[in-house]
Amino acid sequence: MRIEVVGVSRQFGEFKALKDVSLTIQSGELVALLGPSGSGKTTLLRVIAGLDWADAGDIKFDGVSASTRSVGERHVGFVFQHYALFRHMTVFDNVAFGLRVRPRKERYSNAEIEARVNELLQLVQIDWLADRMPAQLSGGQRQRVALARALAIEPRVLLLDEPFGALDAKVRKELRRWLRRLHEQLGMTSVFVTHDQEEALELADRVVVMNKGRIEQIDTPGQLYDNPSTPFVSRFLGDSNELDCHVAAGSVLLPGLDTSALPRVSVPNGPAKLYARPHDIAISAAEDGEACVRFISAVGANIRIEAELPDGRVVELTRTREEQAEDPVAVGARVGLRLYRAQVYPAG
Amino acid sequence: MAGLAFTARPRKPGANGKPGQRVTQAVLIGIAVLFLGIFIVLPLAIVFSMALSQGWAAYVDALVEPDAISAIKLTLLTAAITVPANMIFGLLAAWAITKFEFRGKSFLITLIDLPFSVSPVISGLVFVLLFGLQGWFGPWLQEHDLKVVFAVPGIVLATMFVTFPFVARELIPIMQEQGTEEEEAAFTLGASGWQTFWRVTLPNVKWALLYGVLLCNARAMGEFGAVSVVSGHIRGHTNTMPLHVEILYNEYNFVAAFAVASLLALLAIVTLILKSVLEWKLARDRKQPIVHTA
């Protein structure tokens, strides 16, 4: 199902949680809402679900406005951050809940409900836990129960609020891959909220980066990483060097950094801010180099180097082990730095 | 209360600490036991021994005497009306306060607590001032031949007023702790408000609710001050059990007075036992909140 968010605003007292947000999510897509806390991502998810409402704007499901439909009528599967399992019900009863509260005419028979619940528990691989109470489950198991419960109503959309937020790192990675497979298997439109960029970039088809109630950029993970379109996205996604520089007639001036390989930038003359990924800066040993190596860390696939520019600013960069073997640089060595790719924005 | 004294025990069993500590411990426990004995166990024992001082026959006679029966009936009737009413009110108030945001919320909480901070005599007097002959609604009530004060409705009203915070007070903290996520989950799964209430909210607070109802009931049956003001003490008509005890006592009919009092004491003991059971259940429920870790 296609979801359209049209000019949605939402205000809590003085705090503007969402400011005129518009977004289209295609049918079958897996989309991440990514942003720091307070960016409005959870509010947006709740507005889509109907758990919260928009002060202005509209939510459309397959082109039909959903604003007059209640949460229950919207038929969305919602997985809560802390799962919100019914604490006094067994796993089985939790999953069966959505089927049992249906109006009598649409309700399945008990046998059908049982079959359906067992099928769902198998799908999320916890059929052996059917008689347990939520308090007896681990975080990862609760997550699966929450998901099975949401899927029981055969939703057309699956919305997940920080689905991995309350899990430890190892379980998180495992569940992430599993969720991705499940999404592909079920083929329903899914939206999840996260503050973890790694999670968003690895899992989602497209990522919506949010900040202070606005959408900063919507793109595929690769595009977002390579071509961030705002200073916020540059800073927020991945590691970046943030450097003050000057722009004159489309070229970037930054003492100590060779910027001749950069394409011309369309930023007005004057002070500007430049963001460069550590792997987009090349380093080479040079007797007359203007920069100086301050720190080297050789742990991991890449060598991490901190180099100091003539004015004392420190630039972080990485090079492969092969590069380091071919042209070794050591702490204290004079080096030349060359910039291959960067984002430049007018200062201020 | 005895449990309080035992908290002085060292954490590790066996490690009983220095002799000095042990003495302190013994003294503290001794004081607590002595205190409880004098102020609680002894009076209770006296109630029963006085009630039975002239044998079981006299005891039973005192209880089956028509005025006593009428007092017991009135007490049960009052409790039968006020407890369900306050249970429903308490649930609604706690539901509104904990699951919704609205203006005047803290004012409502203060208002719910009001009966706790007002002397029961004043609570009774308020109803006399409202519904008595000289009261605001007095003339109107008289015209329509309705009796509130010095009649059963007055007793019910006064009791309801006095016992009104118990259920709400018990429910509000536990419902606040539980938050609204489970209700929201129920809504997303297609449950109506009514279904959500019966299947999610109510089961989650059932022990706390029972606990509140129990305390409310104990107070409703035992209330003296407020009821005394509005009752008029008409024997066989507007006397509840506590009032009946007072009248018998003032007439030097000690056996009968203590016989009726022993019923109230029994009610208290049963309440205490149930209360302990419920407290244990409540503690168990609270121990299983969904912990937010893996």
Side-chain angles (χ1 to χ4, degrees):
Chain A
M1 189 172 66
R2 193 173 80 246
I3 306 169
E4 282 164 88
V5 176
V6 190
V8 164
S9 297
R10 176 73 176 118
Q11 194 163 346
F12 300 107
E14 287 298 296
F15 177 69
K16 291 191 170 105
L18 293 173
K19 301 170 194 164
D20 193 21
V21 168
S22 294
L23 156 75
T24 301
I25 297 163
Q26 297 303 335
S27 193
E29 236 184 339
L30 177 55
V31 167
L33 303 180
L34 174 68
S37 60
S39 59
K41 55 194 193 302
T42 295
T43 306
L44 178 56
L45 195 76
R46 289 172 61 87
V47 169
I48 294 174
L51 287 169
D52 208 328
W53 60 89
D55 296 326
D58 199 3
I59 303 289
K60 289 180 185 169
F61 288 163
D62 276 341
V64 182
S65 171
S67 51
T68 56
R69 278 190 280 162
S70 72
V71 205
E73 290 164 342
R74 289 192 194 190
H75 231 73
V76 295
F78 200 99
V79 176
F80 290 81
Q81 185 173 5
H82 300 299
Y83 320 128
L85 298 180
F86 305 127
R87 68 189 83 198
H88 63 281
M89 290 184 205
T90 62
V91 167
F92 184 96
D93 290 336
N94 261 282
V95 178
F97 186 89
L99 300 173
R100 287 180 177 155
V101 295
R102 282 193 186 172
R104 205 171 291 277
K105 276 177 288 174
E106 301 162 28
R107 206 184 301 159
Y108 294 139
S109 72
N110 280 337
E112 279 170 313
I113 288 177
E114 197 180 327
R116 175 113 188 91
V117 170
N118 284 329
E119 193 184 307
L120 280 162
L121 289 175
Q122 267 161 23
L123 178 74
V124 298
Q125 301 156 358
I126 47 165
D127 42 327
W128 50 288
L129 293 172
D131 296 327
R132 298 271 188 95
M133 299 303 283
Q136 297 169 298
L137 304 179
S138 74
Q141 291 166 342
R142 282 179 200 158
Q143 165 75 276
R144 286 164 192 254
V145 177
L147 201 57
R149 184 178 70 177
L151 293 174
I153 59 167
E154 290 157 44
R156 298 182 296 165
V157 182
L158 189 59
L159 305 174
L160 307 105
D161 187 8
E162 297 273 3
F164 313 105
L167 300 170
D168 60 39
K170 192 159 169 283
V171 182
R172 195 185 286 207
K173 277 208 156 159
E174 199 183 297
L175 268 177
R176 209 191 280 169
R177 274 184 229 120
W178 173 77
L179 186 71
R180 174 82 230 183
R181 278 202 305 275
L182 196 70
H183 168 78
E184 279 158 11
Q185 188 182 341
L186 299 171
M188 71 177 85
T189 313
S190 310
V191 183
F192 72 100
V193 158
T194 182
H195 64 268
D196 181 341
Q197 43 165 300
E198 197 190 321
E199 207 164 275
L201 296 179
E202 188 185 309
L203 202 55
D205 298 323
R206 283 196 305 156
V207 177
V208 179
V209 182
M210 296 189 67
N211 180 37
K212 293 182 182 157
R214 287 212 166 84
I215 293 178
E216 292 273 339
Q217 190 174 356
I218 309 173
D219 245 316
T220 61
Q223 275 295 318
L224 269 183
Y225 189 83
D226 288 338
N227 296 309
S229 62
T230 69
F232 175 81
V233 180
S234 301
R235 230 177 299 134
F236 188 67
L237 275 187
D239 290 329
S240 258
N241 291 290
E242 180 180 341
L243 296 164
D244 289 323
C245 63
H246 249 85
V247 171
S251 12
V252 177
L253 306 173
L254 220 170
L257 261 175
D258 176 3
T259 56
S260 56
L262 284 184
R264 290 176 63 83
V265 293
S266 52
V267 171
N269 290 348
K273 268 221 186 307
L274 175 146
Y275 295 86
R277 304 276 183 212
H279 50 75
D280 288 335
I281 305 171
I283 186 169
S284 56
E287 293 281 305
D288 58 345
E290 284 181 280
C292 176
V293 175
R294 283 279 165 254
F295 172 80
I296 297 182
S297 161
V299 179
N302 290 316
I303 311 282
R304 199 165 64 79
I305 298 171
E306 282 172 25
E308 192 181 304
L309 299 181
D311 56 9
R313 287 186 291 178
V314 173
V315 175
E316 196 185 312
L317 56 99
T318 56
R319 72 194 310 204
T320 63
R321 283 170 178 274
E322 291 74 34
E323 280 165 350
Q324 174 73 349
E326 267 169 36
D327 172 31
V329 295
V331 173
R334 314 269 345 153
V335 289
L337 301 177
R338 196 173 158 86
L339 196 53
Y340 283 100
R341 180 204 277 274
Q343 257 62 45
V344 183
Y345 307 99
Chain B
M1 234 192 222
L4 270 181
F6 290 112
T7 54
R9 194 167 50 188
R11 293 271 156 77
K12 276 187 231 155
N16 252 355
K18 293 177 211 138
Q21 268 185 344
R22 244 175 302 168
V23 172
T24 320
Q25 193 182 319
V27 169
L28 283 176
I29 294 174
I31 292 173
V33 169
L34 193 72
F35 188 86
L36 286 173
I38 293 174
F39 288 98
I40 293 179
V41 179
L42 194 65
L44 212 58
I46 287 176
V47 169
F48 287 100
S49 83
M50 286 293 282
L52 294 167
S53 61
Q54 285 170 27
W56 284 97
Y59 179 78
V60 174
D61 278 350
L63 294 183
V64 299
E65 178 255 343
D67 286 351
I69 294 277
S70 139
I72 293 169
K73 274 190 185 160
L74 181 57
T75 297
L76 291 177
L77 174 73
T78 308
I81 297 171
T82 54
V83 173
N86 277 337
M87 181 177 98
I88 291 167
F89 163 77
L91 255 174
L92 289 179
W95 166 275
I97 284 169
T98 56
K99 311 277 170 175
F100 299 93
E101 286 301 324
F102 55 90
R103 226 179 267 266
K105 193 159 151 171
S106 53
F107 179 67
L108 183 58
I109 296 176
T110 315
L111 212 58
I112 290 173
D113 272 344
L114 185 71
F116 275 170
S117 51
V118 172
S119 158
V121 176
I122 308 293
S123 312
L125 210 55
V126 166
F127 289 100
V128 175
L129 291 176
L130 276 177
F131 302 114
L133 267 186
Q134 319 300 325
W136 284 9
F137 302 110
W140 185 88
L141 287 168
Q142 208 181 14
E143 267 170 44
H144 294 77
D145 202 20
L146 293 169
K147 265 187 95 65
V148 174
V149 172
F150 308 136
V152 176
I155 293 172
V156 171
L157 278 177
T159 309
M160 207 178 287
F161 180 84
V162 171
T163 57
F164 151 106
F166 284 97
V167 174
R169 273 279 115 191
E170 251 348 284
L171 290 180
I172 288 168
I174 192 167
M175 286 171 88
Q176 241 154 13
E177 202 177 296
Q178 288 176 349
T180 52
E181 271 208 339
E182 285 181 49
E183 278 83 5
E184 286 185 342
F187 286 138
T188 64
L189 293 168
S192 64
W194 195 240
Q195 283 172 320
T196 303
F197 176 77
W198 283 107
R199 288 167 181 257
V200 177
T201 308
L202 197 58
N204 275 349
V205 299
K206 62 172 182 267
W207 297 120
L209 178 65
L210 269 178
Y211 186 85
V213 164
L214 184 78
L215 294 184
C216 177
N217 181 59
R219 181 68 186 266
M221 291 190 170
E223 176 56 27
F224 180 83
V227 171
S228 176
V229 176
V230 294
S231 133
H233 303 268
I234 306 163
R235 277 184 102 143
H237 291 282
T238 63
N239 260 354
T240 59
M241 283 163 75
L243 301 182
H244 190 59
V245 172
E246 195 211 15
I247 288 182
L248 292 170
Y249 189 85
N250 288 342
E251 291 170 350
Y252 305 105
N253 192 349
F254 296 134
V255 171
F258 280 102
V260 178
S262 73
L263 286 186
L264 287 170
L266 272 177
L267 168 77
I269 292 169
V270 170
T271 302
L272 262 181
I273 293 169
L274 288 176
K275 184 170 163 277
S276 310
V277 172
L278 287 177
E279 268 169 0
W280 175 74
K281 292 249 187 212
L282 255 176
R284 204 191 48 177
D285 272 9
R286 284 201 181 190
K287 248 187 267 162
Q288 353 179 297
I290 314 261
V291 192
H292 305 315
T293 53

